[in-house]
Amino acid sequence: MEFRELECFIVLTEELHFARTAERLYLSPGRVSQLMRSLETRVGGRLFHRTSRRVRLTPLGERFLADLRPSYDGLANAVSRAKAAAREVTGVIRIGFLSTPTDVVTGSVRAFEHRYPGCEAELVEIPLSDPFGKLRAGQVDIAFTLLPVDEPDLVTGEGLNRVSYQLGLSSRHPLATRASIGAEELAGVPLIGLDGPAPRTWRERVAPSATPSGRPIPLAATVTTSQEGMTQVALNRGGMLFCTPTAAHHGRPDVSFVPVTGLPPSILGLAWVKAAETATIRAFNETAVGHALGVAALVA
């Protein structure tokens, strides 16, 4: 039995008028008549006496209403409570982050928990080689990621920062003492790329296969996490690109970070599954954007 038929029946018993029932339910009078005929077919008898001037319940309709009303009210109340809960920002939100919880990540979490004390934020690390797997598996609700994202089932928020890249090199590498390196020079530096199910566009962002002018960049090895990549770099098995905040976090004596010029900026943002969006997810994204704008204003 269709909920819309039952809803229409309940409203019609209150209004006893097809046009007013249609108006309350944002339907046409003809659609109301159609729904009632369908319900009467399911029940197996007439529920209303209809004339050109009057609508009233039949004895069968009165009995059906008496039996239906408690269940219908309970269902309607359950739907109302569910809608109200969906608008609330409470409970636990699981937030994915990539390799390094920089200030964009931790600052957003602190701002969110301050703004919504009834909600707890849990941080979950996401493998660099599989940026969207935990989102799609429901293991995290929202994730910090590199923008843009070209995944039809995902929604993204605004960019939270725009930072330059640095090239991680072994301190023994000939370029390790350089003040900077141009993007075209990457053609002479084998880069460490990614294993796993990461989309091609994501792999290109982490380890581009060509310089901006089209010169091929050799691939040194593939890894699944930033820590694996850092180990390969320390062993002088290739270079690896890191955004500047992550490079600052990973400072160590056997690895040098050289600023790279001529590459598009690294943009960090948030992504979530479109079909699983909640008020809490929207609230966290809005808080992160607000935090990022506040930081940018302080820097400016």
Side-chain angles (χ1 to χ4, degrees):
M1 197 165 286
E2 298 290 337
F3 179 78
R4 195 58 161 164
E5 294 173 355
L6 300 178
E7 180 183 39
C8 189
F9 171 77
I10 292 291
V11 175
L12 186 54
T13 64
E14 294 170 351
E15 297 290 345
L16 295 178
H17 194 282
F18 277 78
R20 288 196 297 269
T21 297
E23 185 177 350
R24 275 182 59 179
L25 296 176
Y26 301 99
L27 299 173
S28 67
R31 179 58 176 157
V32 172
S33 295
Q34 183 183 38
L35 288 169
M36 288 303 91
R37 285 196 299 270
S38 176
L39 181 60
E40 287 175 334
T41 299
R42 294 178 192 274
V43 171
R46 296 286 297 275
L47 299 173
F48 294 95
H49 289 302
R50 307 170 178 84
T51 68
S52 58
R53 296 185 177 183
R54 188 179 181 191
V55 177
R56 59 186 177 88
L57 284 165
T58 64
L60 177 61
E62 291 175 351
R63 180 175 177 179
F64 183 60
L65 175 61
D67 291 340
L68 174 65
R69 189 88 217 197
S71 299
Y72 176 84
D73 288 345
L75 181 59
N77 289 336
V79 171
S80 296
R81 288 193 297 270
K83 287 182 177 179
R87 293 191 294 269
E88 292 177 356
V89 181
T90 57
V92 176
I93 181 170
R94 298 160 300 170
I95 304 158
F97 69 95
L98 293 162
S99 94
T100 307
T102 60
D103 180 65
V104 174
V105 176
T106 57
S108 297
V109 170
R110 284 194 298 268
F112 177 76
E113 290 188 327
H114 177 75
R115 186 174 181 182
Y116 299 101
C119 196
E120 178 184 353
E122 292 182 354
L123 285 172
V124 179
E125 185 173 0
I126 290 180
L128 193 61
S129 60
D130 187 12
F132 309 125
K134 288 189 177 182
L135 268 178
R136 289 175 171 138
Q139 296 173 337
V140 297
D141 303 302
I142 192 169
F144 287 92
T145 190
L146 297 177
L147 301 181
V149 171
D150 185 20
E151 301 291 320
D153 60 324
L154 302 182
V155 179
T156 58
E158 300 177 33
L160 303 176
N161 70 357
R162 299 171 68 89
V163 296
S164 59
Y165 281 99
Q166 297 198 22
L167 180 64
L169 294 168
S170 166
S171 56
R172 294 173 288 152
H173 195 281
L175 299 176
T177 58
R178 289 273 295 272
S180 65
I181 182 173
E184 292 301 322
E185 294 180 88
L186 293 176
V189 182
L191 292 182
I192 294 166
L194 295 178
D195 278 332
R200 183 176 180 277
T201 53
W202 183 271
R203 294 170 185 270
E204 282 291 314
R205 204 166 292 133
V206 173
S209 59
T211 68
S213 70
R215 298 171 63 195
I217 300 174
L219 182 66
T222 56
V223 296
T224 59
T225 68
S226 294
Q227 288 299 330
E228 287 180 16
M230 189 66 67
T231 302
Q232 296 290 336
V233 168
L235 292 171
N236 203 20
R237 294 175 180 172
M240 190 168 184
L241 291 172
F242 296 88
C243 70
T244 295
T246 299
H249 180 83
H250 284 296
R252 47 189 286 179
D254 54 352
V255 173
S256 297
F257 291 97
V258 182
V260 181
T261 61
L263 287 179
S266 170
I267 305 173
L268 190 69
L270 286 160
W272 58 94
V273 176
K274 186 186 305 183
E277 182 174 301
T278 65
T280 303
I281 289 172
R282 290 191 295 271
F284 185 82
N285 177 65
E286 291 166 4
T287 302
V289 170
H291 172 73
L293 289 174
V295 171
L298 289 174
V299 172

